[in-house]
Amino acid sequence: MNTEYVFHTSEEPRELMRLHMLERIFDAGTQRRLLSTGLTSGWHCLEVGAGAGSIVRWLEQRVGPSGKVVALDTNPRFLRGSGSSTIEILQGDICDADLPLATFDLVHARYVMIHIVEYQRAFERMLRCVKPGGWVVLEEPDFQAARAVAGSEEGRASFARVSDAIERMFTSLGMDHALGVKLPALFRRHDLTQLTVEHEGHLSAGGGMVAQMMKLSAEQLRDKYIATGMVTEADLEEYGRLADDPDSWAIYYATGAVTGWWQPQCGGRV
């Protein structure tokens, strides 16, 4: 099973910076979704693709000493120092990790499934871990929503070409750049119920956090974008200038987020 994290060759300080930016932008929404499940003390939670660990540490506070948080990551390099009696850090891939069956009250992943070719199999692996009556919360990007709506003509044209390169990069790896919008159908196919479905476009001015995060991503993935044949160095420079221009506005991507209740006795199936 092919899981290819496109940032795996990034320099550690720059990747940690990007992850911290992502946390500052999106943690509030993630926390709101997780709380909507009824998350409380004593719960056992699985965080798939734990990244820099902010949600893991937040979950630790919510479940208390009577709960458990398992943080799974293919490279838990940024989770050092996160261990406690409540947190268990595991290195591995959700596709083949040896996880206990029907154990977790809550399973969550954010911007993880897009890096997995057989994401439906990965989803099934997650469901095996959820206890009856437990919850699954997934948040994934939808890059087909990307568009520049204000800024220089050159910047908007380069933005479009970089967006095409992002699509080509994921497609060449066998991945789905628009996975976020396909999550509701995935949940329905496996008979999860009580679905909450959100699709958020992150309209950002140049200089804003989303624009700066995506500029940093483009710098880290420069060689991969150029290798698609869709963009040039000049396009990437223009993309960066647009991300810095306070008069520009763009949707760099949207996020599809789905919360669902897992109850096999009510028809749910892996």
Side-chain angles (χ1 to χ4, degrees), residues 13-195:
R14 291 171 67 79
E15 175 59 359
L16 183 58
M17 181 189 304
R18 188 188 69 84
L19 290 173
H20 281 323
M21 293 174 73
L22 188 150
E23 291 173 344
R24 290 196 294 274
I25 298 165
F26 297 115
D27 273 8
T30 294
Q31 292 168 9
R32 172 179 56 79
R33 293 178 184 107
L34 297 179
L35 286 172
S36 74
T37 67
L39 173 66
T40 189
S41 60
W43 275 31
H44 284 212
C45 304
L46 173 63
E47 179 72 5
V48 180
S54 65
I55 293 300
V56 171
R57 293 185 290 273
W58 179 83
L59 284 169
E60 177 189 24
Q61 297 301 311
R62 303 302 306 186
V63 304
S66 61
K68 184 77 173 181
V69 181
V70 175
L72 177 68
D73 202 286
T74 56
N75 186 355
R77 53 185 166 166
F78 301 127
L79 300 178
R80 292 188 290 267
S82 298
S84 72
S85 59
T86 304
I87 298 173
E88 179 182 0
I89 299 170
L90 297 178
Q91 181 167 3
D93 190 319
I94 185 60
C95 297
D96 53 29
D98 185 16
L99 294 167
L101 303 180
T103 298
F104 296 102
D105 301 281
L106 172 65
V107 174
H108 171 250
R110 181 175 67 191
Y111 308 152
V112 172
M113 303 281 275
I114 193 171
H115 298 285
I116 302 175
V117 172
E118 295 186 66
Y119 67 84
Q120 298 186 60
R121 289 279 306 280
F123 185 67
E124 291 167 3
R125 295 278 300 184
M126 292 183 191
L127 289 184
R128 294 174 59 192
C129 300
V130 184
K131 65 175 60 173
W135 294 85
V136 180
V137 180
L138 296 185
E139 302 166 296
E140 294 294 334
D142 168 23
F143 284 103
Q144 72 180 355
R147 63 185 185 276
V149 297
S152 70
E153 182 177 351
E154 296 85 355
R156 286 184 284 114
S158 291
F159 183 98
R161 286 191 286 271
V162 172
S163 297
D164 289 341
I166 292 172
E167 176 181 357
R168 179 69 62 85
M169 178 190 70
F170 279 112
T171 301
S172 69
L173 294 169
M175 299 164 187
D176 192 335
H177 78 296
L179 181 58
V181 294
K182 300 176 182 178
L183 294 180
L186 180 64
F187 275 60
R188 286 287 192 204
R189 273 199 303 276
H190 291 84
D191 295 319
L192 282 89
T193 59
Q194 300 186 37
L195 298 191

